[in-house]
Amino acid sequence: MELLSGADMIARFLQDEGVEYIYGYPGGAALHIYDALFRQDKVKHILVRHEQAATHAADGYARASGKPGVVLVTSGPGATNAVTGIATAYMDSIPMVVLCGQVMSHLIGDDAFQETDIVGVTRPIVKHSFSIRHPSEIPEVLKKAFYLASTGRPGPVVVDIPKDMTAPTERYEYVYPKKVKLRSYNPVTRGHTGQIKKAVEMMLKAKRPVFYTGGGVVTGKASEGLTDLVKQLGFPITTTLMGIGSYPQSDRQCLGWLGMHGSYESNMAMHHADLIIAIGARFDDRVTNNTSKFCPTAKIIHVDVDPSSVSKTVRADVPIVGPASSVINEMISLVQGQAITHPEALTDWWQKIDGWRAEREGKLYEPSKPGEVLKPQEVIEALCRVTRGEAYVTTDVGQHQMFAAQYYKFDKPNRLITSGGLGTMGFGFPAAMGIKQNFPEDDVVCVTGEGSFQMMMQELSTCKQYGVGVKIVNLNNASLGMVRQWQDLNYKSRHAHSYMESLPDFHMLIEAYGFTAITVRTLDELEPALERAFANKHELVFLDVKVDPHEHVYPMQVPLGAMRDMLLSKTERT
Amino acid sequence: MRHIISILMENEPGALSRVVGLFSQRNFNIETLNVAPTEDPSLSRLTVTTVGDDRVIEQITKHLNKLIDVVKLVDLTEGNHIERELMLVKVKALGAARDEVKRTVDIFRAQIVDVTPSLYTVQITGDASKLDAFLQAMAPVGILEVARTGVSGIARGDKVLSL
């Protein structure tokens, strides 16, 4: 039997749980825990420069590795600063455990110094939360927190820890709980066999089928199975933004991603389909456009591990509640050796799809002419070439995010790391940091814009402290591009507060931290600059790429329209 | 349509706020709410009446079930059930109205549980519509204060909501 203080239990538990990195920022209520971390060397603590960055870094790590990210912050402002990152993880179903210091138990409710009811504040944006009420319950509560965060539909779990629970003077028995049981929480482990059979029958009989797969396939580690299933059937597949890479994008059967800025062929195929096989996707409004006009001729099979996602916005004809991987595997075994009923219809369907593809080929954007300002799209295409499509690409939010998702070709899951649900500006850079520390030999690049980057640029200091060699591609159009685009389209180009009047000299800024910055203005400078940036894996390099501020992201679905209603350029629409 | 949803949940601090928060967060509607511990001190039973079409009720039950603190739930309105609410009302009881109030209390099979020279405190149980009818009957006399518990309910027959 081992007697440990609450703070030492936390440090010990994190070791026993196999946590390698935690991201955090110290403060009064968390100091006992920080002292316990100081007295051990297995769990590495990364000191960020703002708690929001701690959550994004842990989130990026979780997305890339599939393991829960861990955050440690102090009470009050430390905890509230983490809120945006917790909400980001919640919306994208990312496993995360956030340990928050809290004022001493006897002060709770007194408006004590640095007191915030963080359990209350985060209640709508967590999978669950705990408050520690006695030091002896720390191991069990932490085990539950990790278990909840990483099973079923993953999500963030907050653990509120009053300072007296971690006092060094009070010691209790510590045993690492190997198992955990919650009587009210039993995530499904497999789908209903009858429903799966019914779904497969419909798939075999379909004439115009489309797979529509989302982040659930990525977090559910079901990409390989999905690829097998889709290839066996020979059906077209489109993914959501979060599902990018769940099926190799360079494969002919992949139509790209769908929705508001999805590919023309994806949205057209969805609209005309007679069967949609949705797996790990949640029919989000950025995908469906107007739900009453959504895919008028399609029957819908919906596989999701979370029953509340099924029939939430669009009614499923065949709902299947279960983890993507086991349902897909069952589908594969049922499909094996079976022939599709209407092979000629599928051939016609592919002809139609190839026709849509051909319509837009070479028309996606107009490349810059020699000596002219660069187009953001060509920067991403060059980035993809230079990194051979193998980098971890994180993004912030806005036009650059859409361009990165449209023009970088991802063949693997977990490679596009982006805030899809919440759309958090400032996410990309700290997320890249979290990934790079865990995958030091891989290329990790943050595609950002000068608006988003300035929301979290203080993390340059963290990168300096820990020698984090991420690359930053700043698509600098000196304006908030996506806001500006909407203002162009809906507000007669009245650019209310969407321009950046006084940008810093990024070159000097980056050099002030001791890093390399390269400014890129023309096409002939672009690839050499990228080559130089990626030459050394362990060096942070910032590319300030001046791009055309007048460029818009297309296709763009027409608001309140159907999937097929799209603006295709500034002058064309469907 | 009106639904009565009964929930067994962990008798833990914060559990109630998660349930109530869910309703406001997801734009669901709470008409009445009633909660107390059960014979098993680790469990509370919460009964909520809500209004919504089938799609909304399906979402409400799914999201409630997703809460970690919710152990089990049942939509009582899906089957035969008994629904009760308790109400305490202070009504004016002066002059000729004093007898009239007493008679109405008897008709509704309610009880007078406290008396002053100027008012009666009436206790009445029943379903929500009976309580509404009693209030309507008392309105001309003068209602001074109303305390309703909100609906509680239980399924008829052998069906049991337990672990």
Side-chain angles (χ1 to χ4, degrees), chain A residues 13 17 68 95-97 127-128 130 139-157 159 176-189, chain B residues 68:
Chain A
F13 177 87
E17 186 68 19
M96 182 187 288
V97 174
K127 184 166 172 186
H128 196 57
F130 295 95
E140 198 197 328
V141 167
L142 291 184
K143 186 69 196 175
K144 282 181 182 169
F146 276 82
Y147 172 64
L148 286 171
S150 53
T151 53
R153 179 178 181 175
V157 176
V159 184
Y176 173 71
K178 288 209 174 65
K179 268 192 190 158
V180 63
K181 196 159 165 44
L182 286 144
R183 60 178 168 184
S184 59
Y185 177 74
N186 298 298
V188 283
T189 53
Chain B
I68 310 296

Side-chain angles (χ1 to χ4, degrees), chain A residues 27 39 46 61 66 91 119 185-186 218 254 256 296 316 359-360 376 411 456 465 489-490 520-521 565:
Chain A
R39 288 182 279 101
I46 305 298
Y61 161 72
M91 288 293 273
V119 166
Y185 177 74
N186 298 298
V218 178
C254 187
E359 269 181 64
R360 296 309 304 159
D411 282 346
M456 279 284 126
Q465 182 172 350
L489 293 170
N490 300 326
V520 180
R521 287 193 176 77
D565 299 327

Side-chain angles (χ1 to χ4, degrees), chain A residues 194-228:
Chain A
Q195 292 287 86
I196 296 174
K197 264 190 195 144
K198 200 165 145 193
V200 168
E201 274 166 29
M202 284 166 79
M203 283 150 70
L204 293 171
K205 279 187 202 143
K207 292 182 173 163
R208 300 183 309 279
V210 183
F211 276 93
Y212 147 50
T213 62
V217 175
V218 178
T219 48
K221 302 181 179 73
S223 303
E224 260 180 60
L226 175 74
T227 308
D228 272 5

Side-chain angles (χ1 to χ4, degrees), chain A residues 167-352:
Chain A
T169 45
E170 288 191 50
R171 288 160 191 275
Y172 295 90
E173 191 185 342
Y174 172 83
V175 179
Y176 173 71
K178 288 209 174 65
K179 268 192 190 158
V180 63
K181 196 159 165 44
L182 286 144
R183 60 178 168 184
S184 59
Y185 177 74
N186 298 298
V188 283
T189 53
R190 46 180 311 204
H192 187 278
T193 308
Q195 292 287 86
I196 296 174
K197 264 190 195 144
K198 200 165 145 193
V200 168
E201 274 166 29
M202 284 166 79
M203 283 150 70
L204 293 171
K205 279 187 202 143
K207 292 182 173 163
R208 300 183 309 279
V210 183
F211 276 93
Y212 147 50
T213 62
V217 175
V218 178
T219 48
K221 302 181 179 73
S223 303
E224 260 180 60
L226 175 74
T227 308
D228 272 5
L229 178 67
V230 173
K231 285 203 169 145
Q232 272 193 41
L233 288 161
F235 293 175
I237 173 169
T238 175
T239 73
T240 67
L241 181 71
M242 294 304 298
I244 285 179
S246 59
Y247 184 91
Q249 285 196 310
S250 54
D251 188 82
R252 190 186 92 88
Q253 277 168 255
C254 187
L255 311 184
W257 51 284
L258 82 169
M260 180 168 267
H261 293 294
S263 73
Y264 174 70
E265 54 268 33
S266 284
N267 288 343
M268 293 303 273
M270 285 289 284
H271 185 85
H272 292 92
D274 74 341
L275 181 68
I276 287 165
I277 308 132
I279 308 179
R282 60 186 176 91
F283 294 82
D284 158 68
D285 60 295
R286 282 295 189 270
V287 161
T288 59
N289 209 0
N290 185 345
T291 48
S292 65
K293 296 178 185 168
F294 178 74
C295 305
T297 52
K299 291 267 183 224
I300 291 169
I301 296 166
H302 190 178
V303 181
D304 204 292
V305 73
D306 175 7
S308 71
S309 277
V310 178
S311 296
K312 184 170 71 178
T313 58
V314 172
R315 183 149 283 284
D317 297 289
V318 182
I320 301 171
V321 176
S325 56
S326 90
V327 174
I328 287 172
N329 287 341
E330 260 187 82
M331 284 179 168
I332 291 173
S333 61
L334 289 170
V335 163
Q336 240 145 28
Q338 299 277 346
I340 51 170
T341 320
H342 306 289
E344 68 302 332
L346 188 62
T347 312
D348 289 350
W349 181 224
W350 269 114
Q351 260 173 13
K352 215 164 181 180

